[in-house]
């Protein structure tokens, strides 16, 4: 690589601060050194990376493209440097996990409790997000492990199956619907309540309905799986939830499941790590729960 890593570090700092002077303060170097480094990087790459403004600088289109790659690369390097300092005996260190609120609450809590009991010195951090978001965090080196619906793009990912998930439609016991199997077209005409569009469960559901020639137009979109269950229970409409994460509400009769024809295919929840990056000791030990 012809360009020195220090130049990329300075480039990222300027891009994040949108100011050469602020970047210089953060890096504890002079403004002239920062400006010279940016000029040197632009000359070596033969492209203009920043547009100078009266109150700072902004990335050009080429600069934004480069920044996305460099930020992730530096994040991985810094993560690697940090992991090298951790002991293999798990007497200290960090474990950073990416998972949705629903997965954390319904799957991980038990394992987190067991892990903390066994290794109390390990600092555990959970970063919440959709499957897509936590996989982006993983690829950027921000988390050690990501719990996500098995992605379509698996390049550079190591995955281990955790559990099978089923999308089901539910309603209140007294909601006006019949005790029979509903077609997808019939379901689409109910007042639907779905997770927000960026969630993996929502995208999976829409792809399935679309392949069967049916479009979904929900009346309510939420970011919380638990809220979907609660709102279905009070009769506001028909909600699509994950059966495995709605066991209690189904068992106590707060909601009931509507049968569908055809049945919605199952999904898989996997724990993911970067294929070419050795997991930190804490992550390796946490993965043993799914060995």
């Amino acid at each position: 690589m012809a360009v020195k890593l220090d130049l990329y570090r300075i480039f990222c700092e300027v891009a994040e601060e949108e100011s050469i002077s602020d970047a210089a303060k953060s890096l504890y170097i002079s403004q002239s050194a920062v400006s010279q480094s940016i000029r040197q990087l632009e000359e070596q790459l033969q492209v203009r990376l920043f547009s100078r403004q009266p109150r700072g600088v902004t990335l050009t289109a080429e600069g934004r493209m480069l920044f996305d790659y460099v930020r992730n690369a530096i994040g991985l390097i810094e993560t690697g440097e940090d992991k090298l300092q951790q002991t293999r005996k798990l007497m200290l260190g960090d474990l950073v996990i990416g998972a949705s609120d629903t997965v954390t609450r319904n799957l991980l809590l038990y394992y987190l409790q067991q892990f903390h009991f066994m290794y109390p010195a390990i600092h555990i951090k959970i970063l919440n997000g959709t499957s897509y978001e936590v996989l982006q965090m993983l690829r950027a080196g921000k988390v050690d492990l990501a719990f996500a619906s098995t992605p379509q793009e698996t390049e550079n990912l190591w995955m281990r199956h955790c559990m099978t998930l089923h999308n089901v439609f539910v309603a209140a016991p007294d909601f006006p619907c019949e005790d029979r199997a509903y077609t997808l077209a019939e379901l689409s005409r109910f007042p639907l309540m779905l997770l927000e569009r960026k969630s993996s469960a929502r995208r999976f559901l829409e792809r399935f309905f679309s392949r069967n020639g049916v479009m979904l137009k929900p009346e309510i979109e939420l970011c919380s799986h638990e809220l979907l269950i609660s709102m279905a229970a009070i009769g506001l409409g028909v909600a699509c939830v994950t059966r495995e994460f709605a066991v209690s509400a189904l068992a106590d009769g707060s909601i009931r499941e509507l049968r569908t024809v055809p049945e919605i295919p199952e999904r898989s929840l996997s724990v993911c790590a970067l294929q070419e990056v050795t997991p930190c000791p804490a992550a390796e030990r946490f993965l043993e729960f799914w060995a």
Side-chain angles (χ1 to χ4, degrees):
M1 186 170 61
V3 180
K4 293 182 179 180
L5 183 59
D6 284 344
L7 295 184
Y8 282 130
R9 290 186 187 274
I10 293 171
F11 163 71
C12 279
E13 194 67 31
V14 174
E16 289 173 350
E17 296 287 349
E18 295 186 337
S19 166
I20 288 177
S21 60
D22 289 346
K25 291 177 183 177
S26 298
L27 295 167
Y28 298 100
I29 59 178
S30 67
Q31 292 187 41
S32 60
V34 173
S35 297
Q36 184 177 355
S37 296
I38 296 300
R39 283 196 298 271
Q40 184 178 349
L41 182 60
E42 290 178 330
E43 289 172 1
Q44 292 191 32
L45 296 177
Q46 297 183 353
V47 67
R48 187 181 179 190
L49 299 173
F50 291 99
S51 297
R52 277 66 176 177
Q53 308 292 337
R55 296 185 179 180
V57 295
T58 57
L59 288 167
T60 62
E62 293 84 357
R64 283 194 299 273
M65 180 178 67
L66 179 66
F67 178 62
D68 288 339
Y69 287 99
V70 173
R71 176 179 53 185
N72 289 348
I74 290 179
L76 287 173
I77 292 171
E78 290 175 346
T79 300
E81 291 173 344
D82 181 62
K83 301 308 179 187
L84 287 175
Q85 306 305 316
Q86 297 181 9
T87 174
R88 299 291 304 181
K89 296 181 180 180
L90 298 179
M91 297 303 295
L92 59 88
D94 300 312
L95 173 61
V96 187
I97 296 172
S100 69
D101 289 335
T102 303
V103 170
T104 302
R105 181 181 298 106
N106 292 281
L107 173 67
L108 297 184
L109 276 184
Y110 170 79
Y111 298 105
L112 291 171
Q113 181 185 32
Q114 297 301 309
F115 186 85
H116 180 65
F117 177 78
M118 296 165 63
Y119 309 105
I122 299 297
H123 177 253
I124 301 173
K125 184 176 182 180
I126 308 294
L127 297 183
N128 291 131
T130 65
S131 291
Y132 174 80
E133 289 169 341
V134 297
L135 288 174
Q136 289 294 97
M137 295 177 196
L138 178 66
R139 290 188 168 103
K142 294 180 180 179
V143 299
D144 300 303
L145 302 172
F147 286 80
S149 295
T150 303
Q152 292 181 314
E153 296 181 9
T154 59
E155 185 180 359
N156 300 327
L157 291 180
W158 174 93
M159 294 180 296
R160 181 174 291 168
H161 174 78
C162 293
M163 65 186 300
T164 299
L165 305 176
H166 296 85
N167 284 12
V168 295
F169 286 88
V170 298
D174 58 351
F175 190 82
C177 53
E178 302 171 15
D179 184 17
R180 63 177 178 84
Y182 283 90
T183 67
L184 302 185
E186 288 173 327
L187 281 170
S188 70
R189 290 193 285 271
F190 280 118
L192 295 180
M193 300 182 292
L194 306 179
L195 285 172
E196 58 188 348
R197 190 177 296 274
K198 67 179 182 179
S199 73
S200 59
R202 169 72 178 276
R203 294 200 302 270
F204 179 89
L205 188 70
E206 288 194 332
R207 285 197 298 268
F208 173 67
F209 270 72
S210 179
R211 286 197 299 268
N212 285 274
V214 180
M215 300 299 293
L216 291 175
K217 296 181 180 180
E219 292 191 4
I220 298 176
E221 296 178 276
L222 298 169
C223 61
S224 167
H225 185 267
E226 284 64 34
L227 272 178
L228 282 177
I229 295 173
S230 298
M231 295 181 77
I234 62 174
L236 291 186
V238 174
C240 184
V241 301
T242 301
R243 180 191 291 146
E244 288 72 17
F245 299 152
V247 173
S248 296
L250 287 167
D252 66 21
S254 300
I255 54 175
R256 62 188 177 98
E257 182 178 333
L258 278 63
R259 290 177 289 128
T260 63
V261 179
E263 291 187 358
I264 303 171
E266 63 186 30
R267 295 185 292 128
S268 178
L269 179 70
S270 300
V271 55
C272 306
L274 289 178
Q275 198 170 57
E276 299 178 359
V277 176
T278 302
C280 68
E284 287 183 334
R285 193 59 54 89
F286 195 73
L287 283 170
E288 292 178 3
F289 286 124
W290 288 275

